[in-house]
Amino acid sequence: MPSVIESIQNWMQSRSMPASPSTGYSPSDALVQEIESIPLVKKLIDTNMIVIPFRPDVVDQASHTDNTDEFLKLPGGKALNITSRNENPTLWSHSLVRGPTLYGDKRIEYAIQAYDTKDKVLINIARFGQDVAGHPNVVHGGLQAAFFDDSFGTMFAVAAKGDFTGVTANLNINYRSPMYAPATVAFVLWVEKIEGRKVFLKAEARSIPTEADAEALADGDSPQEFKSIGEKWIGKGSVLFGEATALFIKVSKEQLEQKK
């Protein structure tokens, strides 16, 4: 008969996550096909928007100076290949949101990002599974906050164009409607204004209209017809789950090193 300690150890092993940091989780082909056949997601992928994998492969800018049109500059002398959807799970293995802690079966099951260079808007599509609930069958508000913050980080990095890096100084969220799990959600993010070292950002989390509601996707309509940037991009038939604002502070590489 196992001891109490052995029983606890066996229980902890049984609760361990199936995906290892070295290999990472990948959504099933069926799930990818289901989500990427949604009209909004097809629109993001098939147009001229910059599609960014959820766990992108980041490279050194210096090694790709001859192909600057294929790479998006990031802070710290890094760059992102915008012509490839290949992922690098190992690079993100210690990330809370994009690593094995939250990215996996019945948690964050799918995610992709697309950036519109004209309107300077970032759209993040995410599928939240059944194991990230707070109240029964409702996606936990803390997870929504973490995803907002993580997405703000991407928006900030894209807006920086490699000129600076920064950190979150303030994050504020208003929850508007329950997000029932499982849920496929669109996060819409943009920079509101920049004042010196302060970068102010806004975002909305919205439901995605079904194929029957595809006419609500807002192509060609004037901005005055919509209540917000989020509604303009996702459609009038979408449900507003939450609104968020963030303040990021620009910091230099030297300042980050001093904080270590």
Side-chain angles (χ1 to χ4, degrees), residues 65-202:
T65 54
D66 296 334
N67 302 309
T68 54
D69 291 340
E70 298 181 4
F71 291 87
L72 181 68
K73 288 184 178 180
L74 298 174
K78 300 296 182 179
L80 178 69
N81 187 345
I82 61 176
T83 65
S84 172
R85 288 184 60 185
N86 292 335
E87 292 197 334
N88 185 349
T90 302
L91 183 65
W92 301 90
S93 62
H94 297 293
S95 167
L96 172 65
V97 174
R98 307 186 192 211
T101 301
L102 290 177
Y103 191 50
D105 186 40
K106 297 183 180 180
R107 289 168 278 154
I108 301 174
E109 298 183 320
Y110 172 98
I112 195 169
Q113 311 161 104
Y115 179 69
D116 183 82
T117 56
K118 179 182 177 181
D119 289 353
K120 295 180 173 54
V121 170
L122 180 72
I123 313 290
N124 278 9
I125 305 296
R127 165 67 68 86
F128 298 117
Q130 295 176 331
D131 287 356
V132 291
H135 290 284
N137 302 318
V138 176
V139 177
H140 196 293
L143 176 64
Q144 296 179 51
F147 202 90
F148 266 122
D149 189 35
D150 191 80
S151 300
F152 275 132
T154 301
M155 181 70 251
F156 177 86
V158 171
K161 299 179 181 179
D163 294 335
F164 50 82
T165 187
V167 294
T168 309
N170 179 269
L171 178 67
N172 183 66
I173 299 171
N174 290 313
Y175 299 98
R176 299 303 187 189
S177 301
M179 185 185 294
Y180 291 103
T184 303
V185 181
F187 288 77
V188 186
L189 307 100
W190 62 96
V191 174
E192 182 185 23
K193 60 182 179 179
I194 299 177
E195 297 178 349
R197 293 179 57 214
K198 298 179 179 180
V199 180
F200 297 87
L201 305 101
K202 285 189 172 183

Side-chain angles (χ1 to χ4, degrees), residues 7 10 25 28 41 53 61 122 143 171 176 189 195 222 240:
S7 297
N10 291 336
Y25 159 86
S28 68
V41 182
Q61 289 182 23
L122 180 72
L143 176 64
L171 178 67
R176 299 303 187 189
L189 307 100
E195 297 178 349
S222 64
L240 178 62

